[in-house]
Amino acid sequence: MANGKLLRNLIKSGLQGDQQGFRAASEAVIAEEREKKHHLLASDLEKLLYGTRGDTPTSLSHLKLVSNTPTSKDSGLALLEIRSVVREQQDIVLSNAAQSALEEIILEHNRADVLRSYGLKPPQKLIFFGPSGCGKTLAAEVLANELSLPLVVVRLDSVISSFLGETASNLRKVFDYVAEHPSVALFDEFDALAKDRGDSADHGELKRSVNAVLQMMDSYHGQSILIATTNYESLLDKAVWRRFDETIQFDMPDLEQIKRLLGIKLSGVRRNFEPSDIKIASLFKSMSHADIERVLRRAVKEMVLSGKEFLEKQHLAAGLAREHKMLG
């Protein structure tokens, strides 16, 4: 809880009707709770002080994130992108193993105080790996949402530079930033930064970036949760894996997961079939979560534009045909 001086200032300014003093004291309390990693409490207090998620995002943490975003000296481009988080746990469909691992991480961070009382701490460095479109980025968003933290995405197109030492300099800015601003920091396509140093095809600057990543991960002691994702885990330098507290594998959905995904995505759509029908689910076999969602969007658009009241199997067939044609 906040210290006595802050609480006295908060109550005093409130009783005196000093709005500026009350706001300043409230912000100090929120900052202190955030520093103690009481993220849920801090976020709840921010919502009371600044408004709910649906309002214009003017919370203290959001304002700090936006105003202090680092840029590349070389290109002048932002090194980070702050994304809105709207997806919740019920929006994601994963294998039992991946789902359990994600839930355990959320539980550990929600009960971080209990762990610390035993000299333990929740995992802060995570790597999500598996095929494209299977929920890695979505899982990072869900984690941010469940822990009431901003989602900060590292822009590798800005971070990686051909100039000697510039990539390492950009990485240092990124790590310094996320160390200071509690968030879920997503390093998407991490293999671009941490490719195997034995690969003779890569030039020296990328090899130096791997060394820089390893050093910065070793020395990182900030409050943010670092998440690296990759579709090509075999390309990663072997030394990188030891830097992560937890690794989670994401797989292509099986038929049961496809049924659940169809049920979620079509929950508000009138239809003449059941998502639980094995014949319907089988149509999407060997497709990723993202592929399935794209086909369903096309099918629903076809239904709307054709003036139909119900989604039919023929709409799904049309969406699937277009998907197969696009993929060749």
Side-chain angles (χ1 to χ4, degrees):
M1 289 295 293
N3 64 46
K5 182 179 179 180
L6 284 179
L7 292 175
R8 282 194 292 272
N9 289 340
L10 183 66
I11 294 173
K12 181 180 178 181
S13 58
L15 290 174
Q16 294 178 347
D18 179 2
Q19 292 188 11
Q20 185 175 355
F22 181 80
R23 191 181 187 88
S26 299
E27 290 175 348
V29 170
I30 291 169
E32 183 174 285
E33 295 304 315
R34 185 73 73 186
E35 186 175 354
K36 293 177 181 177
K37 296 190 178 181
H38 298 166
H39 299 308
L40 289 176
L41 175 58
S43 296
D44 286 342
L45 293 175
E46 283 184 346
K47 289 176 184 177
L48 289 173
L49 186 62
Y50 300 107
T52 62
R53 181 173 304 173
D55 297 332
T56 302
T58 56
S59 72
L60 180 63
S61 61
H62 192 280
L63 286 175
K64 285 183 178 179
L65 286 169
V66 172
S67 61
N68 298 329
T69 303
T71 59
S72 170
K73 180 181 178 181
D74 172 26
S75 64
L77 297 174
L79 299 175
L80 301 166
E81 175 189 347
I82 303 165
R83 291 187 186 172
S84 301
V85 289
V86 295
R87 304 291 189 99
E88 301 176 348
Q89 271 191 286
Q90 60 265 31
D91 297 323
I92 192 169
V93 175
L94 301 173
S95 67
N96 291 337
Q99 185 68 42
S100 296
L102 187 63
E103 290 174 355
E104 185 175 334
I105 291 168
I106 292 171
L107 175 63
E108 288 190 27
H109 278 275
N110 281 332
R111 303 199 65 191
D113 288 346
V114 176
L115 290 177
R116 280 195 292 270
S117 69
Y118 286 88
L120 303 170
K121 60 181 182 179
Q124 278 191 288
K125 302 169 189 175
L126 319 173
I127 183 165
F128 298 166
F129 65 96
S132 175
C134 289
K136 298 184 293 295
T137 303
L138 176 56
E141 182 179 333
V142 167
L143 187 60
N145 198 342
E146 292 296 322
L147 298 179
S148 298
L149 290 171
L151 178 63
V152 176
V153 181
V154 180
R155 293 187 53 184
L156 295 185
D157 60 330
S158 302
V159 169
I160 297 175
S161 171
S162 60
F163 289 93
L164 183 64
E166 188 64 23
T167 300
S169 175
N170 288 338
L171 281 170
R172 171 48 59 200
K173 291 179 183 178
V174 167
F175 273 86
D176 287 347
Y177 182 86
V178 298
E180 183 180 350
H181 300 85
S183 57
V184 170
L186 178 63
F187 293 75
D188 208 2
E189 298 181 2
F190 190 63
D191 45 277
L193 276 176
K195 192 175 288 187
D196 188 349
R197 287 168 289 184
D199 187 348
S200 59
D202 283 328
H203 58 75
E205 182 66 3
L206 283 178
K207 288 182 172 63
R208 284 187 287 271
S209 79
V210 178
N211 293 329
V213 167
L214 295 177
Q215 292 170 7
M216 291 177 199
M217 290 187 70
D218 283 339
S219 62
Y220 177 75
H221 298 291
Q223 299 181 43
S224 295
I225 301 171
L226 310 183
I227 299 179
T229 71
T230 179
N231 305 333
Y232 306 103
E233 62 272 15
S234 62
L235 297 181
L236 291 179
D237 193 278
K238 293 180 177 60
V240 169
W241 293 91
R242 298 194 297 272
R243 269 66 183 186
F244 292 102
D245 304 320
E246 296 286 349
T247 63
I248 302 181
Q249 182 172 351
F250 290 71
D251 299 307
M252 299 287 277
D254 58 23
L255 285 177
E256 288 304 313
Q257 291 169 44
I258 291 173
K259 289 180 185 179
R260 287 164 49 203
L261 187 61
L262 293 176
I264 291 171
K265 299 303 178 183
L266 297 177
S267 61
V269 179
R270 302 178 72 182
R271 55 191 183 273
N272 276 330
F273 59 86
E274 289 301 323
S276 58
D277 186 341
I278 189 67
K279 292 182 179 180
I280 296 295
S282 296
L283 296 173
F284 298 91
K285 192 174 181 180
S286 301
M287 296 180 68
S288 71
H289 302 69
D291 294 337
I292 294 170
E293 189 169 348
R294 186 165 54 247
V295 169
L296 294 180
R297 279 200 304 270
R298 288 179 181 145
V300 172
K301 286 180 180 178
E302 173 69 19
M303 176 195 74
V304 172
L305 294 176
S306 62
K308 302 296 184 182
E309 188 176 355
F310 293 89
L311 188 67
E312 306 283 354
K313 294 179 183 179
Q314 66 192 49
H315 297 130
L316 297 180
L320 285 163
R322 185 173 173 185
E323 180 73 11
H324 295 318
K325 184 177 180 180
M326 184 183 73
L327 297 176

